[in-house]
Amino acid sequence: MAARNLGSSDSGTTVLDPAQAVATPEGAPAGKRRGRFHTLTVAEVRPLTQDSVEVTFAVPPELHGEYDYDPGQHLALRATIDGRELRRSYSICRPRTVGSVSVAIKRDLGGVFSSWANTELHAGDRLDVMSPQGTFTTALDTLDDTHIVGIAAGSGITPLMSLAHTVLERSATSRFTLVYTNRTALDVMFLDELADLKDKYPARLALHHVLSRQTRSSTLLSGRIDEEKLRLMLASIIRPAAVDEWFLCGPFELVQLCRDTLESVGVAPEHIRFELFTTGEPAHAGGDTGRPVIVAAGDKTFEIEFTLDGESATVTTPVNAKESILNAALRVRPDVPFACAGGVCGTCRAKLVSGDVTMTENYALEPDEIARGYVLTCQSHPTTDKVVVDYDV
Ligand SMILES: Cc1cc2nc3c(=O)[nH]c(=O)nc-3n(C[C@H](O)[C@H](O)[C@H](O)COP(=O)(O)OP(=O)(O)OC[C@H]3O[C@@H](n4cnc5c(N)ncnc54)[C@H](O)[C@@H]3O)c2cc1C
Ligand code: FES
């Protein structure tokens, strides 16, 4: 891989009319699509860094509609590794491309799926790939004159690659500022592609590489991003008043720090969108999917009715089992969509039609989705005798 200079630039700022702000994903085109697995062929596995690869799948013509994604969306991969069926979500890293879909997988130290993908996955292999999901995207039809800022760490660059590329390509008056932090220059994923994007849009893309364990010429771009450094950035290279929408993707602590700091300088929460890859709590990974639950005679039960692909089904769950709606639903419909089962990816989203639930964790649903009655079924537990949810709406 050719060594590239990280560079740094700011294309300047323009104060925009707040009425043009893209604040919510309401107008975003894809939003929710029912997740379905299809077996796709790996077209290419391309090394990005020592511990990450880009995996491109070929999408046959009859499935083009199923994989017609929005930038920022992710998809779940399913594989059986050492006898265990695993599902993991990966963000799509390229702008919409007919006939293929690409993700980038960074090897997580001790991580089962990401290690396997980095060492065992090859062109020609066949893998189960779910249709794209997620609302970490922007309204593509109102991009003119907008300024979007992305802050990413490590593999968190993947959805922002797709977003930055798309935003700059779609509107000649849009601007994108990307702050991308890594330990060292060797850890930077898509180093060449980012440099090429900068070359293509020199005035509209501002690219700032921050290295936490390597000294750069600017102190602002050296060391960990903490509150002090972020505040300095917001007072110099990024002026929040000139930004329409913020996209954050990285570890929980960094996303939290950015949200808090942005809000403290007056950025409205509805202009800040974020995607977490993990909560950093392994105890939640996998949730209770597959946990056997036996309904014995005389048990007090909740009744769960759900609709999936236009077909309704009913399942009962013992009150004492404290089972999630997803786990109960999987007993009668193994194709109920889910990936992380930990409240992070949003793949198991459904609308609560009647009854009530409590949600244990929610790192995926936006406040407006909750207000419209959506729940994460992997995290939802009935609190009324009968609960009705709909996966189709
Ligand atoms: C919406 C979304 C998008 C994502 N996009 C991307 C992407 O674009 N690129 C990308 O690389 N990743 C992405 N991820 C993360 C990805 O889904 C996986 O979580 C990641 O690859 C790790 O999976 P794994 O199977 O390798 O690790 P796992 O085997 O699940 O382990 C995860 C981590 O937990 C540790 N661990 C596991 N079990 C224990 C235990 N019992 N005690 C303590 N520690 C433990 C492991 O060492 C490892 O560090 C995304 C996640 C989500 C939710
Ligand atoms: S399956 Fe990921 S949030 Fe429920």
Side-chain angles (χ1 to χ4, degrees):
M1 192 173 307
R4 292 295 284 258
N5 190 322
L6 293 180
S8 169
S9 71
D10 191 356
S11 59
T13 49
T14 315
V15 179
L16 302 171
D17 177 359
Q20 294 175 324
V22 185
T24 77
E26 272 294 301
K32 169 73 182 165
R33 177 199 285 114
R34 147 94 159 89
R36 266 192 199 81
F37 280 110
H38 299 279
T39 305
L40 300 183
T41 302
V42 176
E44 188 185 5
V45 179
R46 185 172 73 95
L48 292 173
T49 61
Q50 278 184 346
D51 60 359
S52 65
V53 289
E54 181 183 29
V55 181
T56 298
F57 297 93
V59 179
E62 66 274 17
L63 292 178
H64 283 178
E66 280 284 298
Y67 292 89
D68 179 21
Y69 56 88
D70 286 332
Q73 286 197 300
H74 54 84
L75 44 75
L77 304 182
R78 181 172 66 186
T80 301
I81 302 170
D82 296 334
R84 265 200 314 151
E85 184 198 285
L86 298 179
R87 298 172 180 218
R88 297 288 184 270
S89 299
Y90 293 98
S91 299
I92 299 168
C93 57
R94 292 194 174 262
R96 255 185 219 167
T97 316
V98 177
S100 71
V101 64
S102 301
V103 296
I105 305 177
K106 185 176 165 89
R107 185 179 192 152
D108 208 342
L109 200 64
V112 180
F113 196 100
S114 60
S115 300
W116 173 81
N118 269 267
T119 52
E120 305 295 326
L121 200 56
H122 301 290
D125 289 350
R126 307 257 298 153
L127 205 61
D128 292 340
V129 181
M130 195 184 271
S131 40
Q133 302 290 307
T135 54
F136 187 64
T137 189
T138 190
L140 297 179
D141 48 357
T142 54
L143 284 176
D144 284 350
D145 296 324
T146 55
H147 180 197
I148 293 177
V149 174
I151 303 178
S155 57
I157 189 64
T158 46
L160 295 183
M161 277 304 289
S162 180
L163 275 162
H165 211 123
T166 307
V167 165
L168 294 165
E169 195 175 71
R170 287 288 183 102
S171 164
T173 55
S174 65
R175 290 186 304 118
F176 205 100
T177 296
L178 182 61
V179 176
Y180 183 23
T181 176
N182 281 282
R183 287 196 195 106
T184 70
L186 289 177
D187 300 310
V188 178
M189 294 165 73
F190 298 109
L191 184 59
D192 288 345
E193 289 78 1
L194 286 168
D196 290 345
L197 207 58
K198 178 66 191 161
D199 287 346
K200 193 169 176 190
Y201 304 105
R204 295 194 290 122
L205 173 64
L207 180 58
H208 304 287
H209 285 285
V210 181
L211 300 180
S212 61
R213 294 196 191 162
Q214 206 172 312
T215 308
R216 304 208 58 209
S217 51
S218 156
T219 50
L220 196 60
L221 304 178
S222 310
R224 283 177 72 82
I225 297 184
D226 54 14
E227 189 183 337
E228 188 188 353
K229 193 182 289 297
L230 189 56
R231 283 187 185 280
L232 278 174
M233 285 182 181
L234 299 177
S236 54
I237 56 175
I238 313 167
R239 284 192 291 133
V243 177
D244 295 279
E245 205 172 12
W246 301 79
F247 285 86
L248 315 174
C249 192
F252 185 81
E253 297 72 23
L254 180 70
V255 168
Q256 189 72 43
L257 168 81
C258 292
R259 287 178 78 198
D260 291 350
T261 311
L262 287 172
E263 287 184 33
S264 77
V265 298
V267 177
E270 61 270 26
H271 292 191
I272 308 170
R273 307 181 54 67
F274 68 93
E275 181 104 291
L276 291 176
F277 284 179
T278 165
T279 60
E281 295 176 46
H284 291 134
D288 70 351
T289 52
R291 176 162 70 95
V293 169
I294 295 155
V295 187
D299 276 354
K300 183 167 165 34
T301 56
F302 293 121
E303 185 181 320
I304 298 167
E305 185 184 318
F306 64 95
T307 304
L308 180 66
D309 290 340
E311 284 179 26
S312 294
T314 300
V315 60
T316 50
T317 180
V319 171
N320 291 340
K322 297 185 169 47
E323 188 183 26
S324 69
I325 290 181
L326 173 69
N327 198 36
L330 284 169
R331 271 203 294 282
V332 289
R333 283 285 298 268
D335 59 336
V336 175
F338 76 95
C340 73
V344 187
C345 72
T347 308
C348 64
R349 188 183 95 146
K351 190 159 188 171
L352 185 63
V353 177
S354 67
D356 219 341
V357 300
T358 52
M359 259 203 294
T360 315
E361 302 283 6
N362 169 33
Y363 300 98
L365 294 178
E366 299 282 341
D368 72 291
E369 291 174 285
I370 293 173
R372 285 185 284 135
Y374 287 97
V375 296
L376 298 174
T377 55
C378 74
Q379 298 297 307
S380 295
H381 305 270
T383 55
T384 49
D385 290 347
K386 181 167 181 180
V387 165
V388 180
V389 298
D390 191 342
Y391 285 94
D392 293 341
V393 289

